[in-house]
Amino acid sequence: MSTLRITGGRVIDPSQGVDQVTDLWIEGGKIAGLGPQPLHATQTIDAAGKIVAPGLIDMHVHLREPGREEDETIATGTAAALAGGVTSVACMPNTEPALDSQAAAEFVHLQADRAGNANVFPVGAVTKGRQGTELAEIGGLVGGGAVAFTDDGSPVTSAEIMRRALEYCRMFGKAVLSHAEDLELSRGGVMNEGFESMRLGLRGMPAAAEEVMIHRDIELAQLTGGKLHILHVSTAGGVDLIRRGKQRGIQVTGEACPHHFTLTDKCLRTFDSNFKMAPPLRTEADVQAIIEGLKDGTLDVIATDHAPHAPEKKARELDQCPNGIIGLETLLPVCVGALIEPGHLTWPRLIEKLTINPARVLGIDRGTLKPGAVADVTVIDPSAEWTIDA
């Protein structure tokens, strides 16, 4: 049996409250322990000056397969994940066809095994075909390996169906991940509604379109006792709603995406379609509110909402091109530059939001370096610099 020793690194494991310079031992694909161990290393990695952490988890990734392989495949997406230090991803169900059946979830596992890159955990659709009219086969999807449920890319517009989804998923111990958007308010919008949209003459999506749905879903989570996670929070009001929901004891968590705590709607002044996404880039006040939400624990998770599109699709006019930005390979450096270096988060707090917190939301056995855990490990050089070149 092979034994790996990662020596001299700063081991940070928020799941155990560990932050110390020590050795990490791995034996037979499992964590064997920290510090001196009665083991003989068959391989040694010198991690002096580096951070040794549980494998990073991105719980919000669009792998596009099946149906849109021109944009991304499970193989290419998981290769990008590993390049960014991400060892596990949860893939969204807005594929063609949607991941709304046991067979669809099993297909994702099969393709991920064939690729042999990062771990892939499929997220099942809440409704059949993501059409919002009839619940998907929740139990069958759980049997196929689905770890959570969402219609991401679209909201669950019916409050009744969202209520039933929370109730059914509670039976299986699964979270419902909410794409919070009132389509009546946001329809036709290409950017945040505000001064910049008025200045540019572009139709906007108001912050209220997100906030009214966050409020609705928090109330439904209280009604049902279900486990609710708010995806890609982009507004100050949304952060405040989640904060107050937590204070009321409701099972609600929230996530922030790197583009929403680094970029603003001013980026659209260039009419560059790479800055078009949903929810849209908001204002500087929203950016600061999201950073504050990350600092005080209101926002539990950092996830990319990695949403690739073939270049020719993004090259279309701003009102015609699809929403989305890639993020797997830029996740860590952007977080370092925007959160660590300014002092908003410490390394343990950042790693917590990239490991054990998403693992808890999804209910997966990842995100920890406890003895006996699966040996997913990311080694980070905090002083490394490189240029990302498309």
Side-chain angles (χ1 to χ4, degrees):
M1 185 181 295
S2 63
T3 302
L4 172 63
R5 179 189 181 195
I6 303 176
T7 183
R10 178 185 174 187
V11 178
I12 299 177
D13 181 11
S15 75
Q16 302 181 85
V18 171
D19 181 3
Q20 64 185 86
V21 176
T22 188
D23 292 354
L24 175 68
W25 293 80
I26 298 170
E27 187 173 44
K30 301 285 187 179
I31 301 296
L34 298 176
Q37 297 288 327
L39 299 170
H40 173 69
T42 56
Q43 182 184 357
T44 299
I45 294 175
D46 183 2
K50 299 177 176 61
I51 292 169
V52 180
L56 305 186
I57 300 169
D58 189 345
M59 65 168 287
H60 191 165
V61 171
H62 298 269
L63 294 180
R64 305 304 190 196
E65 186 179 3
R68 291 170 56 188
E69 289 83 0
E70 74 276 13
D71 297 332
E72 185 81 282
T73 66
I74 291 170
T76 62
T78 53
L82 287 187
V86 175
T87 64
S88 297
V89 300
C91 63
M92 297 295 107
N94 58 334
T95 50
E96 298 173 4
L99 301 182
D100 61 359
S101 68
Q102 181 170 344
E106 290 172 346
F107 168 81
V108 170
H109 279 297
L110 177 63
Q111 291 295 83
D113 289 343
R114 285 174 173 168
N117 296 319
N119 307 300
V120 178
F121 297 92
V123 176
V126 168
T127 63
K128 292 182 178 179
R130 296 176 49 256
Q131 295 300 304
T133 57
E134 183 181 359
L135 280 179
E137 298 292 340
I138 303 293
L141 277 158
V142 171
V147 296
F149 292 86
T150 185
D151 274 357
D152 185 45
S154 303
V156 178
T157 56
S158 165
E160 169 67 11
I161 289 177
M162 188 64 172
R163 173 187 181 175
R164 300 307 173 197
L166 284 161
E167 289 173 340
Y168 273 95
C169 289
R170 181 185 178 188
M171 293 166 55
F172 295 98
K174 303 299 182 184
V176 177
L177 318 182
S178 170
H179 173 117
E181 180 183 7
D182 186 321
L183 296 176
E184 294 297 319
L185 291 173
S186 65
R187 185 171 288 115
V190 298
M191 64 177 296
N192 178 57
E193 181 178 292
F195 175 80
E196 291 298 330
S197 65
M198 181 179 66
R199 180 177 179 273
L200 297 171
L202 296 172
R203 184 174 177 86
M205 291 180 272
E210 182 172 333
E211 292 159 5
V212 296
M213 290 294 270
I214 291 177
H215 178 74
R216 182 202 76 171
D217 290 347
I218 288 175
E219 294 303 311
L220 291 175
Q222 182 178 37
L223 174 67
T224 62
K227 187 178 178 182
L228 175 70
H229 177 78
I230 308 297
L231 299 167
H232 45 47
V233 179
S234 72
T235 74
V239 174
D240 187 57
L241 285 165
I242 295 168
R243 183 180 290 117
R244 286 188 280 150
K246 286 175 178 283
Q247 291 169 351
R248 290 161 56 194
I250 299 169
Q251 285 195 88
V252 59
T253 53
E255 85 185 20
C257 302
H259 45 276
H260 286 134
F261 57 75
T262 55
L263 306 173
T264 71
D265 54 359
K266 291 181 180 179
C267 295
L268 270 297
R269 291 177 180 179
T270 63
F271 292 91
D272 185 339
S273 63
N274 287 307
F275 296 115
K276 183 188 177 188
M277 56 203 70
L281 301 177
R282 304 287 187 181
T283 67
E284 182 60 33
D286 294 304
V287 168
Q288 294 307 314
I290 289 170
I291 291 173
E292 190 59 37
L294 290 167
K295 290 168 65 175
D296 69 14
T298 299
L299 299 177
D300 312 78
V301 172
I302 296 173
T304 62
D305 193 6
H306 174 82
H309 296 282
E312 62 271 17
K313 295 180 181 179
K314 270 295 195 180
R316 296 165 67 185
E317 294 84 353
L318 197 61
D319 61 339
Q320 298 294 318
C321 75
N323 294 303
I325 187 172
I326 61 174
L328 282 167
E329 293 179 70
T330 56
L331 168 63
L332 193 56
V334 169
C335 287
V336 171
L339 300 174
I340 296 291
E341 291 178 356
H344 298 310
L345 294 181
T346 62
W347 271 106
R349 289 296 304 281
L350 175 63
I351 290 172
E352 179 184 40
K353 295 177 189 296
L354 292 170
T355 58
I356 191 60
N357 283 2
R360 287 170 177 158
V361 172
L362 298 174
I364 59 176
D365 60 344
R366 295 292 191 274
T368 180
L369 298 178
K370 291 180 180 178
V374 175
D376 283 350
V377 181
T378 298
V379 179
I380 302 162
D381 184 348
S383 63
E385 294 185 5
W386 67 95
T387 299
I388 296 168
D389 185 347

